[in-house]
């Protein structure tokens, strides 16, 4: 019986440098040509092994170094693709468009390793192990010409885009525009899409109030706001994309594709290219707040924004975060702040603090929060808050400039970098940083000269606190988010002592036990110290807060009334201490750290 000889295998390699060709006829044409050649020459076309480099350029050899052609050659060398197989390509320039010294070795790598190379444009076969001198010369000519064509095209495209950038103020570079804009037919300017611009401004307003991308997306979906794409509702990732898009400031960032096909920023942004719809101050302070939350963590909010002190409050005894414990709503349920280590039974056994009591105490005694201004939707009604927001924007601008300066420094390590050019860019950056530092100093001087926080009565303050704690209010999330956002911006540290100085008493107990005193005398002494501390209310709850402007407060509370104190001390920006301890003035020579330690 005659043996059946298996057909040689044929692999179709398709490379297209852009997805424009993919959308056109190039893919279909190359696939059809490969199938026809295999049928006509008795080859078995391998259909389940895709050899495609779509959107991958051969000008810098990415298709060989990290693309499908490189993986094919690896399989040939490993023996998993049999010698004598055929590689079908439209033309030689599909395998490489590198300069000739890099392109020719790719050609030889294929035929030298036992693969027959077929160019479908002329049905020519470059035989494995039997490549003629004429074939070698012809391949060198074709590959050399392909490189020159690509180089010329690259230069022309680059020059064309540079020319477009120079004339961007008169004629737009591309029809592509943000979803809230449309390019006019004359390509000279953009029109706003009013309903979309309004949604973008809503997004930035909510972000400025402290809402995260997830919450913003959820609220847009709840109000049935139409999306900018065909997606089913708003997504967190799309909100984040809008909040990070400097096109809202009017900037256009040109891009280019690298050798791997990745889209990268190219050149400086073009200012004034788009209509500006968001102020730079708002954009920068939102970015600063979101970057801070990214580092510190956002934490869970709940539908009423339950905990205003997430990632802010720490245990005074061990330094671990205070956790919000939610066990249902009153009257049966409880909500407390408690040390994380204490919850986990790790080196701390402090008690919890009823959350509503702590929140009321903090907001009542820490006047600098300025609840009056904070609760107004437009914080501009408070000159101090407005100036603080401007400082936040300036700080973010300084952060961006320093990051830019670091990138400029990196240019010095790149081959061929011009030292003069790098120095010029560094000088520009340093001048801009110096200007922004000057702006910051000026704003701080304005804050220092602003009148003191408006005086309100205790009753008015209590009414505002009650409004914040009324979880049934329809706008409760917005109110509490505004307060939490304010806390994140002005509080540097907050430590909570849920048991007052009781921990010190525990140390005294251990000390006396180690002294091996007579048990009766020891217990008598401990009872006296315990009673003395109780009479002096040293076990009462307390907290210490340090604010961004240098002001500090320490409050010892009346455990029976969250708006009454046993002792309080205030440290102003000049280092002056004032306050009272159990009805007596704080001594002038007392330090803030030593207050209430007796």
């Amino acid at each position: 019986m005659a043996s059946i000889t298996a057909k040689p295998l044929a692999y179709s390699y398709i490379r297209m440098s852009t997805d424009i060709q993919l959308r056109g006829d190039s893919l279909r044409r190359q696939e059809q040509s490969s199938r026809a050649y295999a049928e006509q020459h008795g080859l078995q076309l391998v259909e389940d092994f895709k050899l495609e480099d779509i959107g991958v350029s051969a000008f810098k050899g990415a298709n060989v170094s990290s693309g499908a052609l490189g993986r094919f050659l690896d399989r040939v060398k490993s023996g998993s693709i049999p010698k004598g197989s055929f590689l079908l390509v439209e033309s030689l320039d599909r395998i490489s468009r590198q300069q000739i010294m890099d392109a020719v070795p790719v050609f030889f790598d294929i035929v030298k390793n036992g693969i027959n190379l077929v160019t479908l444009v002329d049905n020519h076969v470059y035989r494995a192990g039997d490549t003629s001198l004429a074939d070698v010369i012809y391949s060198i000519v074709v590959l050399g010409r392909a490189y020159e064509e690509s180089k010329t095209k690259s230069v022309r495209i680059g020059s064309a885009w540079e020319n477009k950038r120079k004339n961007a103020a008169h004629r737009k570079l591309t029809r592509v525009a943000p979803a809230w804009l449309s390019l006019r037919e004359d390509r000279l300017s953009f029109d706003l899409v009013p309903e979309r611009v309004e949604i973008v401004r809503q997004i930035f307003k909510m972000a400025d109030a402290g809402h995260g991308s997830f919450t913003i997306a959820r609220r847009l979906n709840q109000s049935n706001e139409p999306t900018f794409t065909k997606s089913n509702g708003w997504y967190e990732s799309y909100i984040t994309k809008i909040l990070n898009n400097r096109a809202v400031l009017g900037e256009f960032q040109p891009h280019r594709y690298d050798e791997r096909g990745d889209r990268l920023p190219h050149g400086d942004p073009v200012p004034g290219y788009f209509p500006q719809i968001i102020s730079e101050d708002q954009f920068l302070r939102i970015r600063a707040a979101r970057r801070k939350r990214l580092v510190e963590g956002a934490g869970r909010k709940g539908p009423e924004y339950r905990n205003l002190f997430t990632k802010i409050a720490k245990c005074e005894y061990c330094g671990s975060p205070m956790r919000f414990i939610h066990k249902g709503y009153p009257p049966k349920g409880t909500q407390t702040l408690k040390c994380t280590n204490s919850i986990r039974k790790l080196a701390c056994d402090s008690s919890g603090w009823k959350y509503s009591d702590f929140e009321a105490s903090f907001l009542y005694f820490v006047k600098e929060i300025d609840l009056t201004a904070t609760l107004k939707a437009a914080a501009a009604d408070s000159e101090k808050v407005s100036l603080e927001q401007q400082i936040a924007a300036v700080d973010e601008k300084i952060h961006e400039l320093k990051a830019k300066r670091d990138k400029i420094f990196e240019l010095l390590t790149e081959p061929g970098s011009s030292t003069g050019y790098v120095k010029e860019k560094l000088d520009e950056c340093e001048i801009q940083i110096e200007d922004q530092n000057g702006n910051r100093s000026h704003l701080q001087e304005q804050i220092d000269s602003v009148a003191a926080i408006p005086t309100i009565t205790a009753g008015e303050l209590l009414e505002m606190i009650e409004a914040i704690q009324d979880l049934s209010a329809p706008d409760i999330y917005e109110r509490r988010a505004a307060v939490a956002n304010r806390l994140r911006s002005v509080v540097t540290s907050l430590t909570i002592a849920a048991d007052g100085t009781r921990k010190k008493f525990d140390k005294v107990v251990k000390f006396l036990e180690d002294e091996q005193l007579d048990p009766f005398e020891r217990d008598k002494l401990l009872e006296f110290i315990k009673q003395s501390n109780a009479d002096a209310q040293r076990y009462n709850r307390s907290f210490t807060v340090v604010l961004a402007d240098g002001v500090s407060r320490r409050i010892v509370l009346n455990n029976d009334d969250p708006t009454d104190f046993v002792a309080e001390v205030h440290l102003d920006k000049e280092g002056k201490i004032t306050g009272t301890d159990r009805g007596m003035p704080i001594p002038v020579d007392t330090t803030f750290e030593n207050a209430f330690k007796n």
Side-chain angles (χ1 to χ4, degrees):
M1 186 179 199
S3 61
I4 300 174
T5 305
K7 292 181 179 180
L9 300 180
Y11 297 83
S12 173
Y13 175 62
I14 296 173
R15 185 195 61 76
M16 290 176 285
S17 58
T18 68
D19 62 352
I20 295 174
Q21 292 173 303
L22 178 63
R23 291 195 299 267
D25 195 48
S26 182
L27 178 62
R28 185 202 59 78
R29 187 185 68 249
Q30 292 185 54
E31 288 178 338
Q32 192 176 65
S33 297
S34 295
R35 191 169 290 107
Y37 185 90
E39 290 175 358
Q40 291 169 10
H41 294 83
L43 305 177
Q44 181 183 336
L45 186 64
V46 179
E47 300 276 7
D48 59 352
F49 181 65
K50 287 289 186 183
L51 256 178
E52 294 178 356
D53 280 318
I54 308 299
V56 179
S57 174
F59 183 44
K60 295 187 178 180
N63 62 326
V64 177
S65 62
S66 58
L69 182 59
R71 291 192 293 273
F72 173 80
L73 288 172
D74 289 340
R75 294 186 66 169
V76 168
K77 293 172 184 177
S78 69
S80 59
I81 291 179
K83 294 183 184 299
S85 297
F86 287 73
L87 181 65
L88 313 181
V89 299
E90 187 173 46
S91 58
L92 284 180
D93 62 4
R94 294 295 176 183
I95 65 171
S96 181
R97 282 183 171 269
Q98 293 176 279
Q99 58 182 325
I100 196 165
M101 296 298 290
D102 295 316
V104 172
V106 176
F107 169 79
F108 280 122
D109 216 12
I110 295 170
V111 296
K112 187 175 66 175
N113 282 284
I115 302 298
N116 300 298
L117 180 62
V118 178
T119 50
L120 298 172
V121 70
D122 55 5
N123 282 352
H124 187 78
V125 182
Y126 298 86
R127 294 286 176 184
D130 189 27
T131 307
S132 67
L133 178 62
D135 283 345
V136 172
I137 294 174
Y138 182 72
S139 68
I140 293 174
V141 171
V142 172
L143 292 171
R145 187 174 61 205
Y147 169 72
E148 292 300 329
E149 288 176 353
S150 290
K151 183 179 178 182
T152 302
K153 181 180 178 182
S154 177
V155 171
R156 285 176 179 170
I157 291 174
S159 299
W161 271 97
E162 285 302 321
N163 187 54
K164 283 185 176 183
R165 289 188 187 99
K166 290 177 183 178
N167 295 291
H170 309 293
R171 188 172 181 81
K172 300 310 174 186
L173 303 176
T174 171
R175 284 190 172 274
V176 177
W180 55 89
L181 300 174
S182 63
L183 182 64
R184 292 183 178 177
E185 287 300 320
D186 59 10
R187 298 193 66 172
L188 300 179
S189 59
F190 294 94
D191 286 322
L192 299 176
V193 182
E195 62 276 12
R196 291 188 171 185
V197 170
E198 180 56 32
I199 290 175
V200 172
R201 287 172 176 162
Q202 282 183 41
I203 289 170
F204 275 85
K205 185 178 180 180
M206 285 189 279
D208 208 6
H211 302 319
S213 296
F214 176 80
T215 300
I216 294 172
R218 183 178 62 187
R219 288 178 173 267
L220 291 176
N221 288 330
Q222 287 173 343
S223 58
N224 294 317
E225 294 290 354
T227 62
F228 297 167
T229 65
K230 294 181 179 179
S231 64
N232 181 24
W234 292 88
Y235 288 90
E236 179 182 2
S237 59
Y238 194 72
I239 299 298
T240 299
K241 184 177 179 181
I242 290 175
L243 290 171
N244 289 332
N245 192 348
R246 296 184 68 91
V248 297
L249 304 179
E251 291 184 8
F252 171 70
Q253 175 61 65
H255 288 76
R256 66 175 177 83
Y257 288 93
D258 66 7
E259 59 270 18
R260 295 188 302 274
D262 295 328
R263 189 168 179 264
L264 301 174
H266 181 58
D268 294 330
V270 181
Y273 183 85
F274 300 119
Q276 182 173 351
I277 62 172
I278 298 294
S279 73
E280 186 176 27
D281 275 2
Q282 186 182 41
F283 183 89
L284 290 173
R285 67 172 175 262
I286 289 171
R287 173 169 285 189
R290 289 172 65 85
R291 184 163 49 80
K292 184 178 181 182
R293 288 200 296 274
L294 187 64
V295 172
E296 298 178 352
R300 296 181 181 180
K301 309 293 190 301
E304 309 90 4
Y305 213 119
R306 296 165 184 161
N307 182 12
L308 302 181
F309 306 95
T310 301
K311 304 295 181 181
I312 297 176
K314 304 287 178 65
C315 174
E316 185 173 301
Y317 310 123
C318 69
S320 68
M322 298 295 288
R323 184 183 296 179
F324 181 80
I325 308 297
H326 180 62
K327 294 187 176 180
Y329 294 100
K332 293 183 178 180
T334 59
Q335 296 174 317
T336 57
L337 279 180
K338 192 169 185 178
C339 167
T340 302
N341 277 347
S342 179
I343 295 170
R344 300 174 63 202
K345 308 298 182 184
L346 294 174
C348 190
D349 58 356
S350 63
S351 304
W353 192 329
K354 184 179 178 182
Y355 179 80
S356 59
D357 283 355
F358 174 75
E359 183 178 283
S361 297
F362 184 92
L363 297 176
Y364 188 84
F365 289 108
V366 185
K367 314 293 185 185
E368 291 78 7
I369 299 305
D370 192 1
L371 273 184
T372 306
T374 302
L375 290 178
K376 291 179 179 177
D381 289 350
S382 166
E383 184 179 359
K384 182 180 179 182
V385 172
S386 176
L387 289 168
E388 287 173 345
Q389 288 181 336
Q390 292 178 56
I391 283 184
V394 169
D395 285 343
E396 182 63 14
K397 187 68 175 179
I398 293 172
H399 173 80
E400 288 184 353
L401 287 169
K402 287 181 177 179
K404 181 179 179 181
R405 182 180 61 187
D406 292 342
K407 289 183 179 179
I408 294 172
F409 271 122
E410 291 175 5
L411 290 177
L412 291 172
T413 64
E414 295 185 5
S417 294
S418 167
T419 305
Y421 172 80
V422 173
K423 184 180 183 304
E424 179 185 346
K425 289 296 182 181
L426 283 174
D427 288 343
E428 288 178 9
C429 217
E430 290 295 345
I431 290 172
Q432 291 174 329
I433 292 173
E434 186 177 343
D435 287 345
Q436 292 301 327
N437 281 324
N439 290 341
R440 196 189 193 287
S441 298
H442 178 64
L443 289 169
Q444 187 60 55
E445 289 173 2
Q446 288 182 269
I447 288 178
D448 295 340
S449 65
V450 169
I453 299 169
T455 302
I456 61 173
T457 67
E460 290 172 332
L461 183 55
L462 285 173
E463 286 180 6
M464 283 192 286
I465 293 173
E466 288 175 5
I468 293 170
Q469 295 187 327
D470 179 10
L471 301 184
S472 65
D475 61 345
I476 190 61
Y477 190 98
E478 285 74 14
R479 292 185 193 178
R480 294 181 66 80
V483 176
N485 200 35
R486 174 79 174 145
L487 294 180
R488 283 194 298 269
S489 66
V490 302
V491 174
T492 299
S493 74
L494 170 62
T495 56
I496 293 176
D499 297 302
T501 59
R502 193 183 303 275
K503 295 296 178 184
K504 294 181 180 178
F505 177 72
D506 294 341
K507 292 180 180 178
V508 172
V509 172
K510 188 175 187 310
F511 172 78
L512 293 178
E513 287 176 347
D514 293 341
E515 290 298 305
Q516 297 181 339
L517 298 177
D518 176 81
F520 178 78
E521 293 297 327
R522 182 192 64 201
D523 292 345
K524 186 177 178 180
L525 179 58
L526 288 174
E527 184 60 33
F528 175 79
I529 295 173
K530 185 177 181 180
Q531 187 60 47
S532 175
N533 284 337
D535 292 342
Q537 297 177 295
R538 293 192 180 95
Y539 295 157
N540 287 34
R541 301 185 182 98
S542 65
F543 68 86
T544 302
V545 60
V546 180
L547 304 176
D549 60 1
V551 171
S552 301
R553 287 186 181 274
R554 181 172 177 82
I555 309 293
V556 179
L557 279 304
N558 179 341
N559 284 350
D560 297 324
D561 184 352
T563 60
D564 186 22
F565 68 90
V566 173
E568 61 94 18
V569 62
H570 175 258
L571 178 71
D572 66 17
K573 286 182 288 188
E574 284 71 40
K576 181 181 178 181
I577 291 180
T578 56
T580 62
D581 184 0
R582 283 161 281 270
M584 299 296 292
I586 297 290
V588 177
D589 58 348
T590 301
T591 64
F592 187 78
E593 291 76 14
N594 291 328
F596 319 136
K597 283 192 173 181
N598 59 335

